[in-house]
Amino acid sequence: VNDRRASLDEDTEINPAMRSLVEKEFRRGAGIPIVLFPVDGASIPDTPRLTLVIVDPESEWTGSETLREQIAEWTRLRGKSPRLYPASLVWCFKKPGRDLRDKVELWLAWKRVAQEIAEGTLGGDCDRADRAEVHSKVSDSEEAAKDDVWGGYRYAVIADSHEPAGLKAIDLGAGHSSGGETLCGRVIIALKSQA
């Protein structure tokens, strides 16, 4: 598993898998429109409807000045035009750290090991118990990665003229995918609790 993990390519395997997992978890049961991983302010529609903007897992909410300024600009402007509805955007950021990346790498490595066992390319004979254990590791590592999407994406950032750079960050707290809620619902509950 460690050998397979070390051989994973960041651009073609790890990052696409992280984005796909984040997209899948946010889309599941989504009750509001979602914009995934915008590259600039022009790619986010200007609509009066509450919209959840999911920031790429490579970006983390550190509260840094440059990040605040960029998000504030994208909230105020769509391309070069002022937004009519900046308050309709809710930015969702991942907390700082490598947890999600590490869990996705482990999941991909276990998947590769399971695939190699199924194809017979992994040296040595594997009995049924070994195969069952590998499949169990694949599903356990996938669940751990899903949980980290829930626990990792813990900052909702909204327009607020009374805050620095015109943005207010709301800490959603730790989340868990086994709860009966959705990620969108979790964000909406936090917004309601903050009035």
Side-chain angles (χ1 to χ4, degrees), residues 18-115:
M18 277 197 310
R19 288 185 189 106
S20 174
L21 185 65
V22 168
E23 177 178 356
K24 186 174 149 192
E25 288 304 299
F26 272 98
R27 287 208 186 276
R28 189 166 43 93
I32 58 175
I34 293 176
V35 176
L36 291 156
F37 321 129
V39 291
D40 58 25
S43 57
I44 305 162
D46 187 16
T47 140
R49 191 157 183 218
L50 191 65
T51 303
L52 196 58
V53 183
I54 313 304
V55 181
D56 192 282
E58 290 294 296
S59 296
E60 305 170 335
W61 183 255
T62 58
S64 75
E65 200 62 39
T66 52
L67 181 61
R68 278 182 177 273
E69 286 171 8
Q70 180 189 34
I71 297 304
E73 181 182 319
W74 289 3
T75 301
R76 282 191 320 273
L77 303 173
R78 182 172 190 218
K80 302 278 185 219
S81 310
R83 284 187 184 276
L84 297 173
Y85 307 103
S88 69
L89 300 180
V90 179
W91 298 86
C92 205
F93 276 92
K94 188 174 87 59
K95 70 179 181 182
R98 285 188 46 94
D99 295 347
L100 178 60
R101 172 177 296 281
D102 290 344
K103 299 227 170 90
V104 167
E105 285 176 4
L106 190 60
W107 171 44
L108 293 174
W110 276 112
K111 275 175 56 174
R112 191 175 283 178
V113 167
Q115 180 183 354

Side-chain angles (χ1 to χ4, degrees), residues 178-194:
S178 67
E181 60 184 352
T182 64
L183 276 168
C184 281
R186 187 169 171 238
V187 171
I188 290 170
I189 288 168
L191 292 174
K192 286 179 178 175
S193 74
Q194 296 277 325

